[in-house]
mmCIF file of all heavy atoms in Angstrom:
data_model
loop_
_atom_site.group_PDB
_atom_site.id
_atom_site.type_symbol
_atom_site.label_atom_id
_atom_site.label_comp_id
_atom_site.label_asym_id
_atom_site.label_seq_id
_atom_site.Cartn_x
_atom_site.Cartn_y
_atom_site.Cartn_z
ATOM 1 N N GLY A 8 130.223 8.819 68.960
ATOM 2 C CA GLY A 8 128.871 8.628 68.444
ATOM 3 C C GLY A 8 128.898 8.302 66.967
ATOM 4 O O GLY A 8 129.857 7.742 66.462
ATOM 5 N N ASN A 9 127.832 8.669 66.288
ATOM 6 C CA ASN A 9 127.748 8.473 64.848
ATOM 7 C C ASN A 9 127.914 9.820 64.163
ATOM 8 O O ASN A 9 127.427 10.841 64.641
ATOM 9 C CB ASN A 9 126.408 7.840 64.468
ATOM 10 C CG ASN A 9 126.358 6.394 64.873
ATOM 11 O OD1 ASN A 9 127.136 5.596 64.385
ATOM 12 N ND2 ASN A 9 125.459 6.060 65.794
ATOM 13 N N CYS A 10 128.572 9.804 63.038
ATOM 14 C CA CYS A 10 128.944 11.048 62.358
ATOM 15 C C CYS A 10 127.734 11.918 61.997
ATOM 16 O O CYS A 10 127.810 13.133 62.105
ATOM 17 C CB CYS A 10 129.765 10.747 61.111
ATOM 18 S SG CYS A 10 131.362 10.001 61.483
ATOM 19 N N GLN A 11 126.625 11.307 61.577
ATOM 20 C CA GLN A 11 125.490 12.128 61.165
ATOM 21 C C GLN A 11 124.862 12.874 62.340
ATOM 22 O O GLN A 11 124.170 13.856 62.144
ATOM 23 C CB GLN A 11 124.440 11.303 60.408
ATOM 24 C CG GLN A 11 123.625 10.385 61.263
ATOM 25 C CD GLN A 11 124.167 8.974 61.277
ATOM 26 O OE1 GLN A 11 125.321 8.736 60.957
ATOM 27 N NE2 GLN A 11 123.332 8.034 61.665
ATOM 28 N N ASP A 12 125.124 12.438 63.571
ATOM 29 C CA ASP A 12 124.576 13.097 64.746
ATOM 30 C C ASP A 12 125.521 14.141 65.336
ATOM 31 O O ASP A 12 125.181 14.810 66.297
ATOM 32 C CB ASP A 12 124.275 12.055 65.834
ATOM 33 C CG ASP A 12 123.239 11.048 65.383
ATOM 34 O OD1 ASP A 12 122.370 11.413 64.568
ATOM 35 O OD2 ASP A 12 123.301 9.892 65.828
ATOM 36 N N CYS A 13 126.705 14.266 64.782
ATOM 37 C CA CYS A 13 127.736 15.130 65.342
ATOM 38 C C CYS A 13 127.501 16.596 64.981
ATOM 39 O O CYS A 13 126.942 16.920 63.933
ATOM 40 C CB CYS A 13 129.107 14.672 64.830
ATOM 41 S SG CYS A 13 130.483 15.495 65.643
ATOM 42 N N THR A 14 127.958 17.472 65.848
ATOM 43 C CA THR A 14 127.817 18.909 65.595
ATOM 44 C C THR A 14 128.932 19.454 64.711
ATOM 45 O O THR A 14 128.805 20.533 64.157
ATOM 46 C CB THR A 14 127.831 19.684 66.937
ATOM 47 O OG1 THR A 14 129.051 19.381 67.620
ATOM 48 C CG2 THR A 14 126.649 19.308 67.791
ATOM 49 N N ILE A 15 130.030 18.724 64.564
ATOM 50 C CA ILE A 15 131.197 19.230 63.840
ATOM 51 C C ILE A 15 131.187 18.894 62.352
ATOM 52 O O ILE A 15 131.450 19.736 61.522
ATOM 53 C CB ILE A 15 132.501 18.681 64.468
ATOM 54 C CG1 ILE A 15 132.644 19.223 65.872
ATOM 55 C CG2 ILE A 15 133.705 19.072 63.636
ATOM 56 C CD1 ILE A 15 133.823 18.656 66.615
ATOM 57 N N HIS A 16 130.891 17.652 61.994
ATOM 58 C CA HIS A 16 130.978 17.145 60.618
ATOM 59 C C HIS A 16 132.374 17.333 60.052
ATOM 60 O O HIS A 16 132.666 18.271 59.319
ATOM 61 C CB HIS A 16 129.933 17.793 59.702
ATOM 62 C CG HIS A 16 128.537 17.413 60.064
ATOM 63 N ND1 HIS A 16 128.075 16.119 60.011
ATOM 64 C CD2 HIS A 16 127.503 18.159 60.518
ATOM 65 C CE1 HIS A 16 126.822 16.091 60.403
ATOM 66 N NE2 HIS A 16 126.441 17.301 60.721
ATOM 67 N N CYS A 17 133.256 16.410 60.406
ATOM 68 C CA CYS A 17 134.656 16.456 59.954
ATOM 69 C C CYS A 17 134.778 16.366 58.440
ATOM 70 O O CYS A 17 135.666 16.952 57.856
ATOM 71 C CB CYS A 17 135.440 15.304 60.586
ATOM 72 S SG CYS A 17 135.455 15.329 62.388
ATOM 73 N N GLN A 18 133.894 15.603 57.819
ATOM 74 C CA GLN A 18 133.924 15.495 56.358
ATOM 75 C C GLN A 18 133.019 16.562 55.777
ATOM 76 O O GLN A 18 131.929 16.802 56.269
ATOM 77 C CB GLN A 18 133.426 14.118 55.905
ATOM 78 C CG GLN A 18 134.381 13.031 56.250
ATOM 79 C CD GLN A 18 134.073 11.783 55.462
ATOM 80 O OE1 GLN A 18 134.413 11.711 54.293
ATOM 81 N NE2 GLN A 18 133.431 10.837 56.109
ATOM 82 N N ARG A 19 133.472 17.143 54.700
ATOM 83 C CA ARG A 19 132.695 18.182 54.024
ATOM 84 C C ARG A 19 132.752 17.959 52.528
ATOM 85 O O ARG A 19 133.610 17.257 52.013
ATOM 86 C CB ARG A 19 133.279 19.562 54.329
ATOM 87 C CG ARG A 19 133.296 19.899 55.800
ATOM 88 C CD ARG A 19 132.404 21.071 56.083
ATOM 89 N NE ARG A 19 132.544 21.449 57.477
ATOM 90 C CZ ARG A 19 131.533 21.447 58.308
ATOM 91 N NH1 ARG A 19 130.362 21.085 57.916
ATOM 92 N NH2 ARG A 19 131.701 21.809 59.551
ATOM 93 N N GLY A 20 131.845 18.579 51.833
ATOM 94 C CA GLY A 20 131.878 18.608 50.385
ATOM 95 C C GLY A 20 131.694 17.252 49.730
ATOM 96 O O GLY A 20 130.843 16.457 50.120
ATOM 97 N N GLU A 21 132.528 16.995 48.722
ATOM 98 C CA GLU A 21 132.397 15.799 47.906
ATOM 99 C C GLU A 21 132.582 14.511 48.704
ATOM 100 O O GLU A 21 131.848 13.544 48.511
ATOM 101 C CB GLU A 21 133.405 15.834 46.758
ATOM 102 C CG GLU A 21 133.264 14.671 45.815
ATOM 103 C CD GLU A 21 134.307 14.664 44.724
ATOM 104 O OE1 GLU A 21 134.830 15.745 44.379
ATOM 105 O OE2 GLU A 21 134.618 13.569 44.236
ATOM 106 N N SER A 22 133.550 14.486 49.620
ATOM 107 C CA SER A 22 133.785 13.261 50.392
ATOM 108 C C SER A 22 132.585 12.931 51.278
ATOM 109 O O SER A 22 132.216 11.761 51.428
ATOM 110 C CB SER A 22 135.059 13.367 51.221
ATOM 111 O OG SER A 22 134.956 14.394 52.179
ATOM 112 N N GLN A 23 131.960 13.946 51.850
ATOM 113 C CA GLN A 23 130.777 13.726 52.664
ATOM 114 C C GLN A 23 129.620 13.224 51.801
ATOM 115 O O GLN A 23 128.915 12.283 52.178
ATOM 116 C CB GLN A 23 130.370 15.007 53.388
ATOM 117 C CG GLN A 23 129.186 14.824 54.317
ATOM 118 C CD GLN A 23 128.754 16.123 54.978
ATOM 119 O OE1 GLN A 23 128.953 17.209 54.426
ATOM 120 N NE2 GLN A 23 128.164 16.020 56.148
ATOM 121 N N ALA A 24 129.457 13.802 50.631
ATOM 122 C CA ALA A 24 128.379 13.388 49.728
ATOM 123 C C ALA A 24 128.579 11.949 49.258
ATOM 124 O O ALA A 24 127.620 11.176 49.174
ATOM 125 C CB ALA A 24 128.295 14.335 48.538
ATOM 126 N N ARG A 25 129.835 11.581 48.965
ATOM 127 C CA ARG A 25 130.111 10.224 48.489
ATOM 128 C C ARG A 25 129.796 9.173 49.548
ATOM 129 O O ARG A 25 129.151 8.165 49.267
ATOM 130 C CB ARG A 25 131.575 10.103 48.054
ATOM 131 C CG ARG A 25 131.824 10.753 46.720
ATOM 132 C CD ARG A 25 133.263 10.809 46.330
ATOM 133 N NE ARG A 25 133.907 9.500 46.361
ATOM 134 C CZ ARG A 25 135.215 9.334 46.381
ATOM 135 N NH1 ARG A 25 136.018 10.380 46.389
ATOM 136 N NH2 ARG A 25 135.737 8.140 46.400
ATOM 137 N N ILE A 26 130.238 9.404 50.774
ATOM 138 C CA ILE A 26 129.991 8.404 51.811
ATOM 139 C C ILE A 26 128.503 8.363 52.176
ATOM 140 O O ILE A 26 127.961 7.299 52.484
ATOM 141 C CB ILE A 26 130.903 8.606 53.052
ATOM 142 C CG1 ILE A 26 130.975 7.309 53.870
ATOM 143 C CG2 ILE A 26 130.457 9.766 53.893
ATOM 144 C CD1 ILE A 26 131.628 6.155 53.193
ATOM 145 N N LYS A 27 127.811 9.486 52.108
ATOM 146 C CA LYS A 27 126.365 9.497 52.360
ATOM 147 C C LYS A 27 125.626 8.678 51.305
ATOM 148 O O LYS A 27 124.693 7.939 51.622
ATOM 149 C CB LYS A 27 125.826 10.930 52.357
ATOM 150 C CG LYS A 27 125.937 11.634 53.671
ATOM 151 C CD LYS A 27 125.252 12.977 53.586
ATOM 152 C CE LYS A 27 125.096 13.582 54.940
ATOM 153 N NZ LYS A 27 124.316 14.825 54.900
ATOM 154 N N THR A 28 126.050 8.800 50.049
ATOM 155 C CA THR A 28 125.433 8.036 48.968
ATOM 156 C C THR A 28 125.643 6.544 49.175
ATOM 157 O O THR A 28 124.713 5.743 49.033
ATOM 158 C CB THR A 28 126.017 8.466 47.600
ATOM 159 O OG1 THR A 28 125.754 9.862 47.410
ATOM 160 C CG2 THR A 28 125.418 7.665 46.462
ATOM 161 N N ILE A 29 126.873 6.168 49.507
ATOM 162 C CA ILE A 29 127.194 4.764 49.750
ATOM 163 C C ILE A 29 126.361 4.227 50.916
ATOM 164 O O ILE A 29 125.755 3.156 50.826
ATOM 165 C CB ILE A 29 128.701 4.582 50.021
ATOM 166 C CG1 ILE A 29 129.489 4.844 48.738
ATOM 167 C CG2 ILE A 29 129.003 3.201 50.583
ATOM 168 C CD1 ILE A 29 130.993 4.935 48.932
ATOM 169 N N MET A 30 126.308 4.972 52.003
ATOM 170 C CA MET A 30 125.589 4.503 53.190
ATOM 171 C C MET A 30 124.077 4.489 52.976
ATOM 172 O O MET A 30 123.394 3.587 53.470
ATOM 173 C CB MET A 30 125.966 5.347 54.398
ATOM 174 C CG MET A 30 127.411 5.141 54.784
ATOM 175 S SD MET A 30 127.874 6.018 56.258
ATOM 176 C CE MET A 30 127.720 4.689 57.431
ATOM 177 N N ALA A 31 123.549 5.461 52.240
ATOM 178 C CA ALA A 31 122.108 5.495 51.993
ATOM 179 C C ALA A 31 121.659 4.264 51.210
ATOM 180 O O ALA A 31 120.573 3.729 51.458
ATOM 181 C CB ALA A 31 121.726 6.761 51.237
ATOM 182 N N TYR A 32 122.487 3.806 50.294
ATOM 183 C CA TYR A 32 122.146 2.619 49.527
ATOM 184 C C TYR A 32 122.349 1.340 50.354
ATOM 185 O O TYR A 32 121.491 0.460 50.397
ATOM 186 C CB TYR A 32 122.978 2.527 48.237
ATOM 187 C CG TYR A 32 122.696 1.267 47.464
ATOM 188 C CD1 TYR A 32 121.593 1.195 46.624
ATOM 189 C CD2 TYR A 32 123.486 0.135 47.608
ATOM 190 C CE1 TYR A 32 121.295 0.024 45.941
ATOM 191 C CE2 TYR A 32 123.194 -1.036 46.934
ATOM 192 C CZ TYR A 32 122.103 -1.086 46.094
ATOM 193 O OH TYR A 32 121.816 -2.249 45.434
ATOM 194 N N ALA A 33 123.503 1.231 50.980
ATOM 195 C CA ALA A 33 123.898 -0.041 51.585
ATOM 196 C C ALA A 33 123.383 -0.257 53.004
ATOM 197 O O ALA A 33 123.155 -1.404 53.397
ATOM 198 C CB ALA A 33 125.421 -0.152 51.590
ATOM 199 N N ALA A 34 123.195 0.781 53.773
ATOM 200 C CA ALA A 34 122.800 0.615 55.179
ATOM 201 C C ALA A 34 121.511 -0.190 55.344
ATOM 202 O O ALA A 34 121.457 -1.092 56.185
ATOM 203 C CB ALA A 34 122.707 1.961 55.877
ATOM 204 N N PRO A 35 120.454 0.068 54.562
ATOM 205 C CA PRO A 35 119.244 -0.746 54.731
ATOM 206 C C PRO A 35 119.469 -2.219 54.390
ATOM 207 O O PRO A 35 118.793 -3.093 54.927
ATOM 208 C CB PRO A 35 118.250 -0.125 53.746
ATOM 209 C CG PRO A 35 118.751 1.244 53.492
ATOM 210 C CD PRO A 35 120.242 1.171 53.626
ATOM 211 N N ARG A 36 120.421 -2.509 53.528
ATOM 212 C CA ARG A 36 120.702 -3.883 53.122
ATOM 213 C C ARG A 36 121.603 -4.608 54.129
ATOM 214 O O ARG A 36 121.766 -5.821 54.058
ATOM 215 C CB ARG A 36 121.340 -3.880 51.740
ATOM 216 C CG ARG A 36 120.347 -3.442 50.672
ATOM 217 C CD ARG A 36 121.042 -2.925 49.417
ATOM 218 N NE ARG A 36 120.070 -2.602 48.386
ATOM 219 C CZ ARG A 36 119.392 -1.474 48.307
ATOM 220 N NH1 ARG A 36 119.572 -0.521 49.207
ATOM 221 N NH2 ARG A 36 118.530 -1.252 47.330
ATOM 222 N N MET A 37 122.184 -3.865 55.046
ATOM 223 C CA MET A 37 123.084 -4.462 56.040
ATOM 224 C C MET A 37 122.334 -5.382 57.004
ATOM 225 O O MET A 37 122.892 -6.368 57.474
ATOM 226 C CB MET A 37 123.794 -3.377 56.854
ATOM 227 C CG MET A 37 124.912 -2.685 56.140
ATOM 228 S SD MET A 37 126.351 -3.720 55.932
ATOM 229 C CE MET A 37 127.003 -3.765 57.592
ATOM 230 N N LEU A 38 121.092 -5.087 57.307
ATOM 231 C CA LEU A 38 120.340 -5.889 58.277
ATOM 232 C C LEU A 38 120.275 -7.358 57.859
ATOM 233 O O LEU A 38 120.471 -8.249 58.682
ATOM 234 C CB LEU A 38 118.940 -5.328 58.470
ATOM 235 C CG LEU A 38 118.070 -6.063 59.484
ATOM 236 C CD1 LEU A 38 118.726 -6.047 60.860
ATOM 237 C CD2 LEU A 38 116.701 -5.430 59.556
ATOM 238 N N LEU A 39 120.048 -7.604 56.586
ATOM 239 C CA LEU A 39 119.965 -8.985 56.117
ATOM 240 C C LEU A 39 121.333 -9.632 55.954
ATOM 241 O O LEU A 39 121.499 -10.812 56.220
ATOM 242 C CB LEU A 39 119.210 -9.040 54.788
ATOM 243 C CG LEU A 39 117.737 -8.666 54.859
ATOM 244 C CD1 LEU A 39 117.126 -8.622 53.465
ATOM 245 C CD2 LEU A 39 116.980 -9.643 55.730
ATOM 246 N N ARG A 40 122.321 -8.861 55.512
ATOM 247 C CA ARG A 40 123.628 -9.436 55.207
ATOM 248 C C ARG A 40 124.566 -9.490 56.404
ATOM 249 O O ARG A 40 125.413 -10.367 56.492
ATOM 250 C CB ARG A 40 124.265 -8.651 54.073
ATOM 251 C CG ARG A 40 123.476 -8.836 52.798
ATOM 252 C CD ARG A 40 124.117 -8.163 51.628
ATOM 253 N NE ARG A 40 123.255 -8.351 50.466
ATOM 254 C CZ ARG A 40 123.162 -7.513 49.481
ATOM 255 N NH1 ARG A 40 123.898 -6.420 49.481
ATOM 256 N NH2 ARG A 40 122.364 -7.747 48.474
ATOM 257 N N HIS A 41 124.440 -8.518 57.288
ATOM 258 C CA HIS A 41 125.332 -8.440 58.450
ATOM 259 C C HIS A 41 124.532 -7.994 59.681
ATOM 260 O O HIS A 41 124.692 -6.863 60.160
ATOM 261 C CB HIS A 41 126.472 -7.448 58.176
ATOM 262 C CG HIS A 41 127.310 -7.816 57.003
ATOM 263 N ND1 HIS A 41 128.227 -8.833 57.042
ATOM 264 C CD2 HIS A 41 127.357 -7.301 55.749
ATOM 265 C CE1 HIS A 41 128.818 -8.924 55.867
ATOM 266 N NE2 HIS A 41 128.296 -8.020 55.061
ATOM 267 N N PRO A 42 123.682 -8.852 60.222
ATOM 268 C CA PRO A 42 122.830 -8.438 61.350
ATOM 269 C C PRO A 42 123.602 -8.053 62.604
ATOM 270 O O PRO A 42 123.189 -7.152 63.338
ATOM 271 C CB PRO A 42 121.931 -9.648 61.593
ATOM 272 C CG PRO A 42 122.583 -10.787 60.901
ATOM 273 C CD PRO A 42 123.414 -10.223 59.799
ATOM 274 N N VAL A 43 124.742 -8.688 62.877
ATOM 275 C CA VAL A 43 125.516 -8.347 64.077
ATOM 276 C C VAL A 43 126.113 -6.948 63.945
ATOM 277 O O VAL A 43 126.059 -6.145 64.882
ATOM 278 C CB VAL A 43 126.608 -9.407 64.344
ATOM 279 C CG1 VAL A 43 127.506 -8.983 65.487
ATOM 280 C CG2 VAL A 43 125.981 -10.751 64.631
ATOM 281 N N MET A 44 126.680 -6.634 62.786
ATOM 282 C CA MET A 44 127.217 -5.282 62.561
ATOM 283 C C MET A 44 126.108 -4.241 62.659
ATOM 284 O O MET A 44 126.315 -3.159 63.207
ATOM 285 C CB MET A 44 127.871 -5.178 61.184
ATOM 286 C CG MET A 44 129.201 -5.812 61.077
ATOM 287 S SD MET A 44 129.862 -5.466 59.428
ATOM 288 C CE MET A 44 131.006 -6.808 59.268
ATOM 289 N N THR A 45 124.939 -4.569 62.131
ATOM 290 C CA THR A 45 123.809 -3.637 62.185
ATOM 291 C C THR A 45 123.386 -3.396 63.635
ATOM 292 O O THR A 45 123.158 -2.252 64.034
ATOM 293 C CB THR A 45 122.624 -4.184 61.366
ATOM 294 O OG1 THR A 45 123.063 -4.414 60.030
ATOM 295 C CG2 THR A 45 121.466 -3.213 61.364
ATOM 296 N N ALA A 46 123.315 -4.447 64.430
ATOM 297 C CA ALA A 46 122.944 -4.310 65.839
ATOM 298 C C ALA A 46 123.981 -3.477 66.584
ATOM 299 O O ALA A 46 123.621 -2.620 67.408
ATOM 300 C CB ALA A 46 122.796 -5.678 66.489
ATOM 301 N N ARG A 47 125.255 -3.688 66.291
ATOM 302 C CA ARG A 47 126.322 -2.919 66.934
ATOM 303 C C ARG A 47 126.211 -1.439 66.575
ATOM 304 O O ARG A 47 126.340 -0.562 67.422
ATOM 305 C CB ARG A 47 127.676 -3.489 66.503
ATOM 306 C CG ARG A 47 128.833 -2.966 67.277
ATOM 307 C CD ARG A 47 130.109 -3.721 66.997
ATOM 308 N NE ARG A 47 130.399 -3.799 65.567
ATOM 309 C CZ ARG A 47 130.977 -4.824 64.962
ATOM 310 N NH1 ARG A 47 131.321 -5.890 65.653
ATOM 311 N NH2 ARG A 47 131.213 -4.801 63.681
ATOM 312 N N TYR A 48 125.928 -1.159 65.300
ATOM 313 C CA TYR A 48 125.763 0.223 64.849
ATOM 314 C C TYR A 48 124.563 0.880 65.533
ATOM 315 O O TYR A 48 124.659 1.999 66.029
ATOM 316 C CB TYR A 48 125.581 0.254 63.328
ATOM 317 C CG TYR A 48 125.145 1.598 62.816
ATOM 318 C CD1 TYR A 48 126.063 2.626 62.632
ATOM 319 C CD2 TYR A 48 123.810 1.861 62.533
ATOM 320 C CE1 TYR A 48 125.653 3.862 62.177
ATOM 321 C CE2 TYR A 48 123.398 3.091 62.080
ATOM 322 C CZ TYR A 48 124.319 4.091 61.898
ATOM 323 O OH TYR A 48 123.915 5.321 61.454
ATOM 324 N N LEU A 49 123.441 0.171 65.575
ATOM 325 C CA LEU A 49 122.252 0.749 66.196
ATOM 326 C C LEU A 49 122.453 0.965 67.691
ATOM 327 O O LEU A 49 121.982 1.958 68.247
ATOM 328 C CB LEU A 49 121.040 -0.144 65.934
ATOM 329 C CG LEU A 49 120.570 -0.177 64.478
ATOM 330 C CD1 LEU A 49 119.466 -1.211 64.312
ATOM 331 C CD2 LEU A 49 120.120 1.196 64.008
ATOM 332 N N GLY A 50 123.181 0.060 68.338
ATOM 333 C CA GLY A 50 123.497 0.242 69.752
ATOM 334 C C GLY A 50 124.344 1.481 69.981
ATOM 335 O O GLY A 50 124.130 2.240 70.923
ATOM 336 N N LYS A 51 125.298 1.700 69.096
ATOM 337 C CA LYS A 51 126.145 2.887 69.184
ATOM 338 C C LYS A 51 125.321 4.146 68.945
ATOM 339 O O LYS A 51 125.512 5.162 69.591
ATOM 340 C CB LYS A 51 127.266 2.780 68.143
ATOM 341 C CG LYS A 51 128.271 3.884 68.199
ATOM 342 C CD LYS A 51 129.373 3.633 67.166
ATOM 343 C CE LYS A 51 130.328 4.784 67.111
ATOM 344 N NZ LYS A 51 131.347 4.610 66.071
ATOM 345 N N LYS A 52 124.371 4.074 68.033
ATOM 346 C CA LYS A 52 123.534 5.223 67.714
ATOM 347 C C LYS A 52 122.616 5.593 68.872
ATOM 348 O O LYS A 52 122.336 6.764 69.087
ATOM 349 C CB LYS A 52 122.703 4.928 66.465
ATOM 350 C CG LYS A 52 121.920 6.108 65.967
ATOM 351 C CD LYS A 52 121.441 5.863 64.575
ATOM 352 C CE LYS A 52 120.637 7.014 64.042
ATOM 353 N NZ LYS A 52 121.346 8.265 63.961
ATOM 354 N N LEU A 53 122.180 4.603 69.633
ATOM 355 C CA LEU A 53 121.257 4.860 70.731
ATOM 356 C C LEU A 53 121.939 5.387 71.992
ATOM 357 O O LEU A 53 121.299 5.993 72.833
ATOM 358 C CB LEU A 53 120.473 3.593 71.058
ATOM 359 C CG LEU A 53 119.536 3.114 69.948
ATOM 360 C CD1 LEU A 53 118.920 1.779 70.329
ATOM 361 C CD2 LEU A 53 118.466 4.142 69.649
ATOM 362 N N ARG A 54 123.257 5.130 72.112
ATOM 363 C CA ARG A 54 123.985 5.633 73.286
ATOM 364 C C ARG A 54 124.180 7.143 73.176
ATOM 365 O O ARG A 54 124.486 7.657 72.119
ATOM 366 C CB ARG A 54 125.365 4.981 73.370
ATOM 367 C CG ARG A 54 125.349 3.599 73.908
ATOM 368 C CD ARG A 54 126.761 3.145 74.218
ATOM 369 N NE ARG A 54 127.630 3.210 73.058
ATOM 370 C CZ ARG A 54 128.004 2.140 72.342
ATOM 371 N NH1 ARG A 54 127.572 0.952 72.664
ATOM 372 N NH2 ARG A 54 128.798 2.284 71.319
#
């Protein structure tokens, strides 16, 4: 699945915060720049 939906959260602390910051900024911009990757991600999230 997707990491944010997981019960375990393998990443913790600073590494988790860093990747969350990167994804929070870039994920909304992915739709325009990489629509196929965005569709693949959303499909994975819905399964």
Side-chain angles (χ1 to χ4, degrees):
N9 287 297
C10 295
Q11 74 264 20
D12 298 330
C13 189
T14 58
I15 295 175
H16 293 297
C17 300
Q18 290 196 78
R19 301 244 185 240
E21 184 183 334
S22 63
Q23 183 183 27
R25 284 173 54 197
I26 200 65
K27 274 186 168 186
T28 300
I29 291 170
M30 293 184 98
Y32 177 82
R36 291 158 176 83
M37 284 288 287
L38 181 60
L39 293 174
R40 294 184 182 150
H41 300 285
V43 174
M44 284 185 203
T45 303
R47 191 170 53 214
Y48 169 80
L49 291 174
K51 185 177 175 184
K52 186 165 179 61
L53 295 174
R54 282 191 303 257

